[in-house]
PDB file of all heavy atoms in Angstrom:
ATOM      1  N   LEU A   5      -2.271 204.752  35.675  1.00  0.00           N
ATOM      2  CA  LEU A   5      -1.525 203.690  36.355  1.00  0.00           C
ATOM      3  C   LEU A   5      -0.984 204.125  37.709  1.00  0.00           C
ATOM      4  O   LEU A   5      -0.565 203.288  38.504  1.00  0.00           O
ATOM      5  CB  LEU A   5      -0.350 203.234  35.476  1.00  0.00           C
ATOM      6  CG  LEU A   5      -0.718 202.592  34.136  1.00  0.00           C
ATOM      7  CD1 LEU A   5       0.543 202.204  33.392  1.00  0.00           C
ATOM      8  CD2 LEU A   5      -1.601 201.375  34.341  1.00  0.00           C
ATOM      9  N   LYS A   6      -0.983 205.425  37.957  1.00  0.00           N
ATOM     10  CA  LYS A   6      -0.431 205.907  39.213  1.00  0.00           C
ATOM     11  C   LYS A   6      -1.284 205.439  40.388  1.00  0.00           C
ATOM     12  O   LYS A   6      -2.503 205.560  40.382  1.00  0.00           O
ATOM     13  CB  LYS A   6      -0.333 207.435  39.200  1.00  0.00           C
ATOM     14  CG  LYS A   6       0.722 207.954  38.227  1.00  0.00           C
ATOM     15  CD  LYS A   6       0.807 209.466  38.256  1.00  0.00           C
ATOM     16  CE  LYS A   6       1.895 209.957  37.306  1.00  0.00           C
ATOM     17  NZ  LYS A   6       1.978 211.435  37.287  1.00  0.00           N
ATOM     18  N   ASN A   7      -0.584 204.900  41.363  1.00  0.00           N
ATOM     19  CA  ASN A   7      -1.223 204.424  42.599  1.00  0.00           C
ATOM     20  C   ASN A   7      -2.217 203.285  42.357  1.00  0.00           C
ATOM     21  O   ASN A   7      -3.087 203.025  43.192  1.00  0.00           O
ATOM     22  CB  ASN A   7      -1.930 205.578  43.324  1.00  0.00           C
ATOM     23  CG  ASN A   7      -0.973 206.703  43.676  1.00  0.00           C
ATOM     24  OD1 ASN A   7       0.107 206.464  44.213  1.00  0.00           O
ATOM     25  ND2 ASN A   7      -1.359 207.931  43.370  1.00  0.00           N
ATOM     26  N   LEU A   8      -2.093 202.610  41.209  1.00  0.00           N
ATOM     27  CA  LEU A   8      -2.942 201.453  40.939  1.00  0.00           C
ATOM     28  C   LEU A   8      -2.438 200.278  41.775  1.00  0.00           C
ATOM     29  O   LEU A   8      -1.303 199.837  41.635  1.00  0.00           O
ATOM     30  CB  LEU A   8      -2.891 201.096  39.453  1.00  0.00           C
ATOM     31  CG  LEU A   8      -3.732 199.884  39.006  1.00  0.00           C
ATOM     32  CD1 LEU A   8      -5.216 200.153  39.241  1.00  0.00           C
ATOM     33  CD2 LEU A   8      -3.474 199.564  37.543  1.00  0.00           C
ATOM     34  N   GLU A   9      -3.267 199.791  42.662  1.00  0.00           N
ATOM     35  CA  GLU A   9      -2.867 198.691  43.543  1.00  0.00           C
ATOM     36  C   GLU A   9      -3.157 197.357  42.859  1.00  0.00           C
ATOM     37  O   GLU A   9      -4.102 196.640  43.186  1.00  0.00           O
ATOM     38  CB  GLU A   9      -3.595 198.796  44.884  1.00  0.00           C
ATOM     39  CG  GLU A   9      -3.203 200.044  45.676  1.00  0.00           C
ATOM     40  CD  GLU A   9      -3.872 200.092  47.033  1.00  0.00           C
ATOM     41  OE1 GLU A   9      -4.620 199.147  47.359  1.00  0.00           O
ATOM     42  OE2 GLU A   9      -3.657 201.075  47.760  1.00  0.00           O
ATOM     43  N   TYR A  10      -2.329 197.069  41.881  1.00  0.00           N
ATOM     44  CA  TYR A  10      -2.504 195.839  41.114  1.00  0.00           C
ATOM     45  C   TYR A  10      -1.278 194.963  41.324  1.00  0.00           C
ATOM     46  O   TYR A  10      -0.152 195.402  41.120  1.00  0.00           O
ATOM     47  CB  TYR A  10      -2.685 196.171  39.628  1.00  0.00           C
ATOM     48  CG  TYR A  10      -2.586 194.975  38.722  1.00  0.00           C
ATOM     49  CD1 TYR A  10      -3.427 193.882  38.897  1.00  0.00           C
ATOM     50  CD2 TYR A  10      -1.648 194.933  37.698  1.00  0.00           C
ATOM     51  CE1 TYR A  10      -3.327 192.777  38.075  1.00  0.00           C
ATOM     52  CE2 TYR A  10      -1.548 193.840  36.867  1.00  0.00           C
ATOM     53  CZ  TYR A  10      -2.387 192.762  37.060  1.00  0.00           C
ATOM     54  OH  TYR A  10      -2.281 191.671  36.250  1.00  0.00           O
ATOM     55  N   TYR A  11      -1.494 193.743  41.744  1.00  0.00           N
ATOM     56  CA  TYR A  11      -0.383 192.854  42.072  1.00  0.00           C
ATOM     57  C   TYR A  11      -0.338 191.644  41.134  1.00  0.00           C
ATOM     58  O   TYR A  11       0.033 190.548  41.522  1.00  0.00           O
ATOM     59  CB  TYR A  11      -0.499 192.392  43.530  1.00  0.00           C
ATOM     60  CG  TYR A  11      -0.518 193.541  44.496  1.00  0.00           C
ATOM     61  CD1 TYR A  11      -1.715 194.006  45.025  1.00  0.00           C
ATOM     62  CD2 TYR A  11       0.657 194.196  44.844  1.00  0.00           C
ATOM     63  CE1 TYR A  11      -1.737 195.084  45.904  1.00  0.00           C
ATOM     64  CE2 TYR A  11       0.644 195.271  45.718  1.00  0.00           C
ATOM     65  CZ  TYR A  11      -0.557 195.711  46.247  1.00  0.00           C
ATOM     66  OH  TYR A  11      -0.581 196.776  47.098  1.00  0.00           O
ATOM     67  N   GLY A  12      -0.735 191.863  39.892  1.00  0.00           N
ATOM     68  CA  GLY A  12      -0.721 190.786  38.917  1.00  0.00           C
ATOM     69  C   GLY A  12       0.686 190.474  38.450  1.00  0.00           C
ATOM     70  O   GLY A  12       1.668 191.056  38.903  1.00  0.00           O
ATOM     71  N   SER A  49      -7.847 190.210  39.401  1.00  0.00           N
ATOM     72  CA  SER A  49      -8.695 191.404  39.366  1.00  0.00           C
ATOM     73  C   SER A  49      -8.897 191.868  37.927  1.00  0.00           C
ATOM     74  O   SER A  49      -8.008 192.475  37.322  1.00  0.00           O
ATOM     75  CB  SER A  49      -8.070 192.532  40.191  1.00  0.00           C
ATOM     76  OG  SER A  49      -8.811 193.726  40.034  1.00  0.00           O
ATOM     77  N   ASP A  52      -8.699 195.789  37.640  1.00  0.00           N
ATOM     78  CA  ASP A  52      -7.353 196.366  37.624  1.00  0.00           C
ATOM     79  C   ASP A  52      -6.605 196.023  36.336  1.00  0.00           C
ATOM     80  O   ASP A  52      -5.878 196.857  35.784  1.00  0.00           O
ATOM     81  CB  ASP A  52      -6.554 195.877  38.832  1.00  0.00           C
ATOM     82  CG  ASP A  52      -7.029 196.508  40.133  1.00  0.00           C
ATOM     83  OD1 ASP A  52      -7.667 197.577  40.061  1.00  0.00           O
ATOM     84  OD2 ASP A  52      -6.773 195.940  41.206  1.00  0.00           O
ATOM     85  N   THR A 131       3.601 199.691  40.382  1.00  0.00           N
ATOM     86  CA  THR A 131       2.871 198.614  39.706  1.00  0.00           C
ATOM     87  C   THR A 131       3.511 198.283  38.364  1.00  0.00           C
ATOM     88  O   THR A 131       3.658 197.114  38.001  1.00  0.00           O
ATOM     89  CB  THR A 131       1.395 199.014  39.497  1.00  0.00           C
ATOM     90  OG1 THR A 131       0.750 199.096  40.761  1.00  0.00           O
ATOM     91  CG2 THR A 131       0.668 197.985  38.643  1.00  0.00           C
TER      92      THR A 131
END
Side-chain angles (χ1 to χ4, degrees):
L5 296 180
K6 291 181 178 179
N7 301 312
L8 180 63
E9 295 183 1
Y10 168 57
Y11 302 100
S49 173
D52 288 339
T131 293

